[in-house]
Amino acid sequence: MKSIVVSEIRKLLGGQIIIGKEDWEVQDAIYYKRHDHKRRNSLLFVNRTDPIDWKAIDQKGPSLVVTDKKEIDLPRLNKTTVLQVQSLVQSYWKFITYYRNLFDIPVVTITGTCGKTTTKDMIHHILSEDRVVHASVSSQNEPRRSFPYLMGIDEQTEAAIFEHGLGNSGNIAHQCMIYQPTIGIITNIGVHHLDGCVDIEGYRKAKSEIIDGVRKGGTLILNSNDENIQKLNKRHFEGKIVYFGTDRDSDFRAANIRYAEGGMAFTMYHQKKGYRVFIPGYGEHQVLNALSALAAVNEMGINLHKAIRRLQSYKNMGRHLEFSKGVGGCTVIDDTWTNNPTSIEAALRVLDAIGKNKKVILILGDINRLGNFEQKYHQEIGSKIAQRNIHALLTIGKKARQIAKQASADGSNAIIRIYQDVNGVEEFLYPQLDEKTIVLIKGPMSSRSLIEFAERLKNGTLARE
């Protein structure tokens, strides 16, 4: 955070100092009870209904408490300044707007059912070679983290990149009010979080909040291949729209896509010029992630030849279609980072390309957060699997059993096993594993047992039965 003198904050927010000094500098800001108070020289926004541990605040002093409590019973404080304001909500948003406007830098925010973290990391990787970049951590993108992330921007920051978390409608709009992005990206819109958004229309509408959230005159980067994105209302967007995809009208278009050693090779066309691109990681979805990242850095003035060269050394996050040699020399594809219909379909398409003449085994866990559409989408995945040449399908969990049942009902030739948990999976799996076997493990990040099972399979510690 850029340091701000308390007296400047008082002038900005108005109100009255009822105790303490105002000649010191704030170096961090949090919303009390939502965020941990870890640092000295912190500003704490405290709601009138929240109980206050004055002793703890004072011990981490100097501290600035901004609150709209009407009657404050203050103990003896040595290192705390209290600024009483009329409305905490108004003061909070006034401070956010003030702080964001201190920085004239590109701020990129990214939403999508899949690819957010990868796209963010690609952009970060490209920019970091010669710029100071601030970014959200891993896929920790919950709305409550947005304010601390904004406070992470300081005088040295030359660009910022954040993911949008989505649990319910209004989340992205809220985050955009904090970040005020100059560039917004929608990677894709599939099916997820229907428990919070009711149905696919509600989910699509929630994703579209980024359109109004990008600053006037900013840039919106959209996937031209995505049918749900095509349905979004963009008529009132006051800025530039850039499309990426394989469609001929895309501003950043991929053609001649092929699987290469360790990743994807393709030709990118932009403004009638062709560029040869290689990106580590398998799948056409990885190509689309790369296109969106290249479109974003191009908007920030990075030469495309330079960006493409830097992208070659990008390293994928673990458990994102992570390839490893496992027990018996088999190939293990660990995709236990997230689980939704869109990411499962992407993984199946990778298997279509690399699984020919191989013994393919699928291990699939529950798909969560589908609300009233839980059975529908599990069954749809089962039908898609039944159309493929799969040696074995193993489902783990109460919800995932619907995948197995539907695959069987649709006439799949695969050996199908249904498990409540990972117990017993090794007994079936171990005799199947050899150099010609590919095992895809896909499940939700909430399933610690499935993640640990994938680790055992990768490091060769599965028990012999």
Side-chain angles (χ1 to χ4, degrees):
M1 178 181 170
K2 180 178 181 178
S3 298
I4 306 173
V5 179
V6 172
S7 58
E8 289 298 314
I9 297 173
R10 176 185 57 77
K11 291 174 186 176
L12 172 70
L13 304 182
Q16 178 182 1
I17 297 286
I18 60 174
I19 192 173
K21 300 177 181 180
E22 58 175 31
D23 59 352
W24 56 277
E25 293 183 339
V26 165
Q27 298 172 356
D28 192 22
I30 66 169
Y31 200 109
Y32 192 59
K33 298 298 185 183
R34 292 183 192 172
H35 312 120
D36 293 334
H37 181 197
K38 297 179 179 179
R39 299 180 55 188
R40 299 186 183 279
N41 294 75
S42 289
L43 183 165
L44 298 84
F45 288 98
V46 180
N47 191 282
R48 68 178 67 181
T49 61
D50 285 336
I52 303 176
D53 187 342
W54 290 108
K55 182 179 179 180
I57 291 174
D58 204 49
Q59 285 176 343
K60 292 187 178 71
S63 301
L64 171 62
V65 171
V66 177
T67 184
D68 56 358
K69 285 180 179 288
K70 298 305 179 186
E71 297 182 5
I72 305 176
D73 183 17
L74 291 173
R76 181 175 178 177
L77 300 172
N78 298 315
K79 300 179 181 179
T80 301
T81 301
V82 179
L83 174 60
Q84 190 177 50
V85 295
Q86 287 295 314
S87 169
L88 186 73
V89 172
Q90 290 179 9
S91 297
Y92 176 68
W93 286 108
K94 184 179 287 187
F95 179 80
I96 285 173
T97 301
Y98 164 79
Y99 192 79
R100 172 64 182 87
N101 287 332
L102 292 175
F103 306 97
D104 184 18
I105 60 172
V107 174
V108 184
T109 62
I110 307 167
T111 189
T113 304
C114 300
K116 297 184 293 296
T117 304
T118 299
T119 300
K120 178 203 69 184
D121 287 349
M122 286 180 178
I123 296 171
H124 189 280
H125 180 77
I126 294 169
L127 294 178
S128 293
E129 188 166 311
D130 53 17
R131 297 191 187 187
V132 178
V133 184
H134 174 55
S136 49
V137 177
S138 185
S139 60
Q140 297 175 21
N141 55 27
E142 300 92 333
R144 66 181 178 84
R145 297 182 186 271
S146 303
F147 181 55
Y149 280 145
L150 180 68
M151 293 300 104
I153 298 175
D154 60 24
E155 300 96 322
Q156 283 72 49
T157 307
E158 296 173 284
I161 320 160
F162 305 112
E163 289 183 47
H164 286 300
L166 171 61
N168 300 282
S169 58
N171 286 161
I172 292 176
H174 175 89
Q175 289 175 301
C176 282
M177 289 172 65
I178 294 174
Y179 295 138
Q180 298 176 42
T182 59
I183 299 173
I185 301 174
I186 307 180
T187 59
N188 48 58
I189 301 178
V191 177
H192 206 17
H193 298 291
L194 300 188
D195 53 345
C197 299
V198 182
D199 55 25
I200 186 60
E201 289 186 10
Y203 180 65
R204 188 166 56 231
K205 185 176 180 181
K207 289 292 186 186
S208 74
E209 291 169 5
I210 195 174
I211 297 174
D212 292 331
V214 172
R215 276 188 168 183
K216 185 177 180 179
T219 302
L220 197 59
I221 299 175
L222 304 176
N223 183 345
S224 62
N225 290 16
D226 193 283
E227 293 182 1
N228 281 315
I229 290 177
Q230 292 173 9
K231 295 176 182 178
L232 301 181
N233 183 357
K234 302 172 282 289
R235 291 191 301 272
H236 301 296
F237 177 70
E238 299 183 69
K240 177 182 179 182
I241 300 181
V242 175
Y243 288 95
F244 66 92
T246 57
D247 186 272
R248 283 200 165 271
D249 294 329
S250 298
D251 300 290
F252 288 78
R253 178 171 70 90
N256 306 317
I257 300 171
R258 58 201 181 278
Y259 282 72
E261 182 67 31
M264 305 299 293
F266 62 99
T267 303
M268 182 183 76
Y269 291 97
H270 175 62
Q271 294 183 346
K272 299 182 180 180
K273 291 182 64 176
Y275 302 81
R276 296 174 67 179
V277 184
F278 172 81
I279 175 65
Y282 289 120
E284 291 193 18
H285 64 284
Q286 189 77 334
V287 173
L288 295 174
N289 291 336
L291 288 177
S292 64
L294 290 169
V297 299
N298 181 70
E299 286 297 303
M300 289 183 266
I302 299 292
N303 175 273
L304 283 175
H305 287 291
K306 185 183 295 185
I308 290 166
R309 174 183 58 78
R310 294 176 182 179
L311 201 52
Q312 292 176 359
S313 60
Y314 168 75
K315 289 183 172 56
N316 285 293
M317 291 182 63
R319 295 170 35 223
H320 281 64
L321 282 176
E322 178 186 9
F323 279 64
S324 304
K325 282 295 180 184
V327 174
C330 72
T331 298
V332 180
I333 308 177
D334 183 352
D335 201 24
T336 55
W337 187 263
T338 189
N339 204 30
N340 56 59
T342 304
S343 64
I344 292 175
E345 289 181 48
L348 290 175
R349 286 194 292 271
V350 171
L351 286 177
D352 291 341
I354 67 169
K356 295 173 184 176
N357 302 316
K358 298 283 188 178
K359 183 166 59 178
V360 176
I361 298 175
L362 299 182
I363 303 176
L364 300 180
D366 291 337
I367 309 173
N368 297 321
R369 307 211 63 179
L370 293 177
N372 296 327
F373 298 89
E374 190 174 276
Q375 182 172 334
K376 167 183 166 63
Y377 287 110
H378 279 87
Q379 289 177 339
E380 284 188 6
I381 293 299
S383 295
K384 292 179 188 298
I385 290 171
Q387 298 168 9
R388 290 172 159 86
N389 184 23
I390 303 297
H391 175 72
L393 167 64
L394 285 61
T395 65
I396 299 175
K398 183 177 180 181
K399 301 172 186 176
R401 68 187 296 127
Q402 291 293 336
I403 298 174
K405 288 183 176 181
Q406 191 63 44
S408 178
D410 286 355
S412 173
N413 293 321
I415 300 169
I416 296 176
R417 297 284 188 272
I418 297 173
Y419 298 89
Q420 182 62 36
D421 50 44
V422 296
N423 293 325
V425 175
E426 293 180 19
E427 182 178 358
F428 169 82
L429 187 62
Y430 196 94
Q432 310 287 333
L433 303 179
D434 55 36
E435 293 179 353
K436 293 186 177 181
T437 303
I438 297 177
V439 183
L440 170 67
I441 306 179
K442 187 142 185 58
M445 64 173 64
S446 59
S447 178
R448 178 52 53 186
S449 61
L450 195 56
I451 292 170
E452 291 174 352
F453 179 84
E455 287 298 321
R456 295 201 305 275
L457 184 56
K458 288 187 293 185
N459 62 31
T461 58
L462 281 184
R464 287 184 178 274
E465 295 293 337

